[in-house]
Amino acid sequence: MPPAPNPELRNQRSHRAILDAALELTTRDGYTKVTVEAIAQAAGVGKQTIYRWWPSKAAVVLEALNDLTGPAGRVPDTGDVAADITVAAQAVTHMLGTDLGTVWRGLVADAQGDPRLAEDLRESFFEPRIARWQERLDTAVRAGQLRTDVPTRTIVELLFGPIYYRLLLGTDRLDPENTAARVDYLLNGVGQR
Amino acid sequence: MPPAPNPELRNQRSHRAILDAALELTTRDGYTKVTVEAIAQAAGVGKQTIYRWWPSKAAVVLEALNDLTGPAGRVPDTGDVAADITVAAQAVTHMLGTDLGTVWRGLVADAQGDPRLAEDLRESFFEPRIARWQERLDTAVRAGQLRTDVPTRTIVELLFGPIYYRLLLGTDRLDPENTAARVDYLLNGVGQR
Amino acid sequence: MPPAPNPELRNQRSHRAILDAALELTTRDGYTKVTVEAIAQAAGVGKQTIYRWWPSKAAVVLEALNDLTGPAGRVPDTGDVAADITVAAQAVTHMLGTDLGTVWRGLVADAQGDPRLAEDLRESFFEPRIARWQERLDTAVRAGQLRTDVPTRTIVELLFGPIYYRLLLGTDRLDPENTAARVDYLLNGVGQR
Amino acid sequence: MPPAPNPELRNQRSHRAILDAALELTTRDGYTKVTVEAIAQAAGVGKQTIYRWWPSKAAVVLEALNDLTGPAGRVPDTGDVAADITVAAQAVTHMLGTDLGTVWRGLVADAQGDPRLAEDLRESFFEPRIARWQERLDTAVRAGQLRTDVPTRTIVELLFGPIYYRLLLGTDRLDPENTAARVDYLLNGVGQR
DNA sequence: TTGTAAACGAGACGGTACGTCCTGTCTTTTA
DNA sequence: TAAAAGACAGGACGTACCGTCTCGTTTACAA
C-alpha cells in the first residue's frame, strides 16, 4: 500500500484549479467526454496529483459539485409547509435542468458501477439533504399539517423520486410547474374523496 | 455507408446465443465488467456479428432484458384500483431487487451518456409500460376512483419515481412492502385532513 | 496468459512501417529519446500492435537492425587470412562508426538490464556472426596460418573486444586504420622476439 | 542559475550514507531497479540532498564505486611483464565477475545515452587506469620486452577489450584463466611462426 | 449441381484512456 | 537556516476495450 498523502501539505492552488477545471470541462464538453488527463491539463497539473487526492474522475466532479452548491441548507420554514416545499423542490428542479443536471447524470451513471462512489454520493450529498428535508417535515407533522403515520423519509422520496425519474430516464422534461403540481397531489392525494 | 445487413439472413442460433450470453454474463459478473468481446466469446460468435445487429453492449443487454420480460402487459383490472396497482408495482419492485435490477442499473447508467440508447430505452421499455398503466388509471378515473384533474402520466411518475430513486441512488433497499404503503399515501395524500 | 497472436494474420504493411519508423526515429533523434508511442505514431499504427509482436522498444529496434543488415554473411576467404579479417573487421568498424553505431549502443545499453533482450541480442546477432568468423579462422588453422592451440572463439574476442570497447566506453574514436593495425599485433604478437 | 552549493557545507554523514546505500541497493536489487528515491530513503536523506551534489543516480553510483575501489593503483612491476599484467588483469576480471560487475554494467548502460556521464566515467575511472597501465607497459618497452612499434594504449585495449566484451555482451562467462591465456596470445601472437 | 453472395467465427488493427511509475524541481515543516 | 519529507509538473509506460477491418469458411438461395 502506498503511503497515504499528507493532506496538510496539499497545494491549495492546484486543488482549486482541479475543481474549477473539472466543472468547466464537464459542463462544456459533457461529463463522459472529459478525461482525467484533460482535467489535469486544463488545471495545469500533473495527472498524478489528481490521483493522489481522488480515486477517479467522478470523485473529483462530485467534490466540485459539492463545493459549488455548498453544504445542504435548511429548508425554508414560513409555517406553510406546502409553500415551503414547493419553493425548495422547484429550486432543485431548476438546478437539475441546467448544465449541472447533465453533469449530475454522469455522476449518478458512474455510481451505478462503482459502490465506493455511490456511497460517497449518498454520504456527501443525498443524506445531508434528506436530513434537512426531514427536519422541515417533522416540524410540519408536529404542527398538525401532515399525517403522523407516514415516515418523513418516505415523503422525501415521494417528492424527489419523480424529479430524478425524469432526470435519469428522460421520459419528460424537468419542469418547475409540474413539480409544484406534484406537491398538491402529494398532500391531498390523487384518489377521489 | 456500409450496406445495411439483411435481417432475413440473420442466424437465429447466434442471435439467441448472444442474448443468452449477455444476460448470463451481466448477471454473473456485473454489467460494467462485461465486454462485448466477452459476450461474443461466451456466445461462440464473432465480435462483428454483434456489431452487425446492435450498436453497443447496452443495446444487446436491453434486447435481452426486453426479450426476457416480454412485451408490456396490461395492468390487472379487478375493479379495485388500489389493489391492482399495489400488486403490479410490487411485482416491478421485486424484479428490480434481483440481479436483473443490477443489470438494469448498468443500462440506465450507459443511457446517461448515449442519447440513442436513452431513446431506445424509453421507446422499447418505458413508454409501452407507461401507456398500459395509463390505460388502467384512465379506467379508474372514469370509474370515479381517481381525481379527474391529475394527469394519469403524472400518477405513474409518482408511483415509479420513488422506486427508481431507490434503485439508482441506493438510499434505501427496494422493498415491496414500502411500495404498497406508498400507494396508500398517494391515493389519500400525506397531508392532514 | 493472453493468447499468443497468430503470426500468419500479421499485417505486413504495419510490420514494415514499424521497422522503418523505428530505424528512422532512433537514428534521427537518438535511441533513448524515442518512445514506443512515437514509433507507433510515425508508423501510423496503434501502440498495442507493437506490443502484440514485440516485448519492448529494444526488441523492435533489434529486429529493424537485423532486418537492415541481413543475416550474418560468410567472412571472405581469399586464402590470405590476415587480409580477409582485416577487411571484414574494418567493415564492422565502419558500420559502428555511423548513426547505426549509436543506435546499437542504445540497444546494448538496454540489454544490460533486460536478460531476455540480452539473450535475443546474442542469439539473433552475435552468435551467428561469431560462428561465421570461427569458420573462416578454422580454415586458416587447417591451412597452417594460425596456431592450433588457440580457440578460434577467443581469437574472435581479441578482434572484436577492442572495437566494442571503443564503441561502448568511448575512450577513442572508432577507426578502421587502427582496426587494421590490431590484426597485425594479434597475429604476430606484441612481445619482442 | 541556482547558486552552486558550497562543498564545505556538505554533510559528511549524509555523503557517506548515500554512497553506502547506493552500493548496497544496486548490488542487492540490481542497478536498474533502484531509484533515486529509494537511495535517499535508505540513506535517511531527502531526495533533494542527492540532487544537490550529483546530477543522477548513475553519478552517485559511479562515485560509490570509485570510492570503493580507491584511486587507480600502479600496476605491479616485478620485471616480468607477462606475469605482472596477467595478475593485474585477472584481478579486474575477478572484480567484474562479482555483483559489482553487474552494477558496473548498469553504469556503462546509462552512459550510452548520457554524454556527461560517459565523460565522467572516462575521466574518473578509465583514463587514470589506462595511464597506469601505459606506464607499466612503457617500462617493458624500454626493457626490450615489448615491440617498440605498438602504441601502449592499443595494448591496453587489446587486453581489456575482450573482458568488457564478455561483460557487456554476455557471450561467455568472465574467467580469470581465460584472461591469463589471452596475455600469452597477445604477447606471442596467434599466427603460426 | 453448382455459383455466388451474404453472414459468419476469428482475431488483428488504429485508436483512446486508463492508472502507475519515475524523474528532477519546488514547498513546507522540523530541528 | 539547513535538510528531511514529500507534493508537485511532466511524461512514458504497458494494459484494456472500443469499434472497424480483413480474413477464410459456412450457408442458402439462384441458375
Side-chain angles (χ1 to χ4, degrees):
Chain A
M1 197 171 62
N6 179 349
E8 307 207 357
L9 297 180
R10 184 167 194 165
N11 182 326
Q12 292 308 314
R13 271 174 60 87
S14 297
H15 188 188
R16 258 264 62 80
I18 290 166
L19 296 184
D20 290 348
L23 219 47
E24 161 82 11
L25 292 186
T26 49
T27 49
R28 202 190 60 195
D29 301 340
Y31 177 85
T32 341
K33 300 215 166 181
V34 174
T35 67
V36 173
E37 185 131 31
I39 296 175
Q41 181 139 332
V45 139
K47 204 169 19 158
Q48 191 63 66
T49 298
I50 294 185
Y51 282 111
R52 184 162 22 242
W53 303 109
W54 295 276
S56 63
K57 171 180 75 167
V60 178
V61 174
L62 173 55
E63 183 174 332
L65 242 23
N66 269 331
D67 176 84
L68 181 74
T69 55
R74 202 162 283 276
V75 180
D77 185 351
T78 65
D80 179 350
V81 70
D84 290 348
I85 66 182
T86 299
V87 164
Q90 281 185 315
V92 172
T93 305
H94 179 263
M95 190 271 275
L96 292 177
T98 68
D99 280 347
L100 291 181
T102 308
V103 175
W104 198 247
R105 289 173 65 194
L107 221 42
V108 173
D110 273 8
Q112 302 309 314
D114 180 345
R116 306 258 290 248
L117 173 63
E119 184 59 24
D120 197 3
L121 205 51
R122 277 193 295 278
E123 289 208 356
S124 74
F125 188 87
F126 288 108
E127 291 299 349
R129 280 161 180 77
I130 290 173
R132 292 304 150 272
W133 279 87
Q134 286 193 257
E135 287 168 13
R136 176 66 187 85
L137 294 172
D138 283 335
T139 304
V141 170
R142 281 193 300 271
Q145 297 173 327
L146 296 180
R147 282 167 60 175
T148 56
D149 63 335
V150 182
T152 50
R153 190 170 175 99
T154 295
I155 299 180
V156 177
E157 288 180 326
L158 284 160
L159 266 167
F160 288 98
I163 294 174
Y164 279 94
Y165 179 89
R166 288 197 176 189
L167 177 71
L168 298 168
L169 306 183
T171 47
D172 291 277
R173 284 193 50 264
L174 278 171
D175 174 4
E177 260 184 79
N178 180 273
T179 296
R182 241 180 0 247
V183 173
D184 163 36
Y185 307 151
L186 192 51
L187 291 175
N188 302 310
V190 300
Q192 195 60 271
R193 309 271 160 116
Chain B
M1 199 171 62
N6 180 347
E8 308 207 358
L9 296 179
R10 182 169 195 165
N11 182 327
Q12 291 308 312
R13 272 173 60 87
S14 296
H15 187 188
R16 257 264 62 81
I18 290 165
L19 296 183
D20 291 348
L23 221 45
E24 161 82 10
L25 291 186
T26 49
T27 49
R28 204 190 58 194
D29 302 340
Y31 178 84
T32 337
K33 300 214 165 181
V34 175
T35 67
V36 173
E37 183 130 31
I39 295 174
Q41 181 138 330
V45 139
K47 201 160 38 147
Q48 189 64 214
T49 299
I50 293 184
Y51 281 110
R52 185 158 23 241
W53 303 109
W54 294 275
S56 64
K57 170 180 79 168
V60 178
V61 174
L62 173 57
E63 181 173 334
L65 242 22
N66 269 331
D67 175 84
L68 182 73
T69 55
R74 201 163 284 278
V75 180
D77 186 350
T78 65
D80 179 350
V81 70
D84 289 349
I85 64 182
T86 298
V87 164
Q90 283 185 315
V92 173
T93 305
H94 179 263
M95 190 273 273
L96 292 177
T98 67
D99 279 347
L100 291 180
T102 307
V103 175
W104 197 247
R105 291 173 63 195
L107 222 42
V108 174
D110 273 8
Q112 302 310 312
D114 180 346
R116 306 258 290 250
L117 173 63
E119 185 59 24
D120 196 4
L121 205 52
R122 278 193 294 276
E123 289 208 356
S124 76
F125 187 88
F126 289 108
E127 292 299 350
R129 280 160 180 80
I130 291 171
R132 293 303 151 274
W133 278 87
Q134 286 192 258
E135 288 168 12
R136 177 65 188 86
L137 294 172
D138 284 336
T139 304
V141 169
R142 281 193 300 272
Q145 297 172 324
L146 296 179
R147 282 166 60 174
T148 56
D149 63 337
V150 183
T152 51
R153 190 171 175 95
T154 296
I155 300 180
V156 176
E157 287 179 327
L158 284 161
L159 266 167
F160 288 98
I163 295 175
Y164 279 94
Y165 179 87
R166 288 196 175 189
L167 178 71
L168 298 167
L169 306 184
T171 47
D172 292 277
R173 286 192 52 260
L174 279 170
D175 174 3
E177 259 182 79
N178 180 274
T179 296
R182 243 182 356 249
V183 173
D184 162 38
Y185 308 148
L186 191 52
L187 291 176
N188 302 309
V190 300
Q192 195 62 270
R193 309 268 160 114
Chain C
M1 198 171 62
N6 180 348
E8 307 206 358
L9 296 180
R10 185 169 192 162
N11 182 326
Q12 291 308 312
R13 271 174 60 88
S14 297
H15 188 188
R16 257 263 63 80
I18 291 165
L19 296 184
D20 291 348
L23 221 46
E24 162 82 10
L25 292 186
T26 49
T27 49
R28 202 190 60 195
D29 300 341
Y31 177 84
T32 340
K33 299 214 167 182
V34 175
T35 68
V36 172
E37 184 131 32
I39 296 175
Q41 182 138 330
V45 140
K47 202 167 22 156
Q48 191 64 64
T49 299
I50 294 185
Y51 282 110
R52 185 160 23 241
W53 303 110
W54 294 277
S56 62
K57 171 180 76 168
V60 178
V61 175
L62 173 56
E63 182 173 333
L65 241 21
N66 269 331
D67 176 83
L68 181 74
T69 56
R74 201 163 285 276
V75 180
D77 186 351
T78 65
D80 179 350
V81 69
D84 289 350
I85 65 181
T86 298
V87 165
Q90 282 185 315
V92 172
T93 305
H94 179 263
M95 189 271 274
L96 292 177
T98 67
D99 279 348
L100 292 181
T102 307
V103 175
W104 196 247
R105 290 173 65 195
L107 221 42
V108 173
D110 273 9
Q112 303 308 315
D114 180 346
R116 307 258 291 246
L117 173 63
E119 185 58 24
D120 197 3
L121 205 52
R122 278 192 295 276
E123 289 208 356
S124 75
F125 188 87
F126 288 108
E127 292 300 348
R129 279 159 180 81
I130 290 172
R132 293 303 150 273
W133 278 86
Q134 286 192 258
E135 288 168 13
R136 177 65 189 87
L137 295 172
D138 284 335
T139 303
V141 169
R142 280 193 301 272
Q145 297 172 324
L146 295 178
R147 282 167 61 175
T148 56
D149 63 336
V150 183
T152 50
R153 189 169 175 99
T154 296
I155 300 181
V156 177
E157 288 179 328
L158 284 160
L159 267 166
F160 288 98
I163 294 175
Y164 279 95
Y165 180 88
R166 287 196 176 190
L167 177 70
L168 298 168
L169 305 184
T171 47
D172 292 278
R173 284 192 51 261
L174 278 170
D175 173 3
E177 257 182 81
N178 180 273
T179 296
R182 243 182 356 248
V183 172
D184 163 37
Y185 309 148
L186 191 50
L187 292 176
N188 302 310
V190 300
Q192 195 61 269
R193 309 267 160 118
Chain D
M1 197 170 64
N6 180 346
E8 308 209 358
L9 297 179
R10 185 168 191 164
N11 182 324
Q12 292 307 315
R13 272 172 61 87
S14 296
H15 188 194
R16 258 263 63 80
I18 291 166
L19 296 185
D20 290 347
L23 220 45
E24 162 82 10
L25 291 186
T26 49
T27 49
R28 202 190 61 194
D29 301 340
Y31 177 84
T32 338
K33 299 214 166 179
V34 175
T35 67
V36 173
E37 183 131 30
I39 295 175
Q41 179 139 332
V45 139
K47 206 168 21 156
Q48 191 61 71
T49 300
I50 293 185
Y51 280 110
R52 188 162 16 244
W53 303 109
W54 294 275
S56 63
K57 170 180 76 167
V60 178
V61 175
L62 173 56
E63 181 173 333
L65 241 22
N66 269 331
D67 175 83
L68 181 74
T69 56
R74 202 163 284 279
V75 180
D77 186 350
T78 65
D80 178 350
V81 69
D84 290 349
I85 65 181
T86 298
V87 164
Q90 282 185 314
V92 172
T93 306
H94 179 263
M95 190 272 274
L96 293 176
T98 66
D99 279 347
L100 291 181
T102 307
V103 175
W104 197 246
R105 291 173 64 194
L107 222 41
V108 173
D110 272 9
Q112 302 309 313
D114 180 346
R116 307 259 290 247
L117 173 63
E119 185 58 24
D120 196 4
L121 205 50
R122 277 193 295 278
E123 290 207 356
S124 75
F125 188 89
F126 288 109
E127 292 300 350
R129 281 162 178 78
I130 290 172
R132 293 302 151 274
W133 279 86
Q134 286 192 258
E135 288 168 12
R136 176 67 188 85
L137 295 172
D138 284 336
T139 303
V141 169
R142 281 193 300 271
Q145 295 173 325
L146 295 179
R147 284 168 58 176
T148 55
D149 64 336
V150 182
T152 50
R153 191 172 173 95
T154 296
I155 300 181
V156 177
E157 287 181 327
L158 284 160
L159 267 166
F160 288 98
I163 294 174
Y164 279 95
Y165 180 87
R166 288 197 176 188
L167 177 70
L168 298 168
L169 306 183
T171 48
D172 292 278
R173 284 192 50 259
L174 278 171
D175 174 2
E177 261 183 76
N178 181 273
T179 296
R182 240 178 3 245
V183 173
D184 164 36
Y185 308 149
L186 192 50
L187 291 176
N188 301 310
V190 301
Q192 195 60 271
R193 311 265 158 119

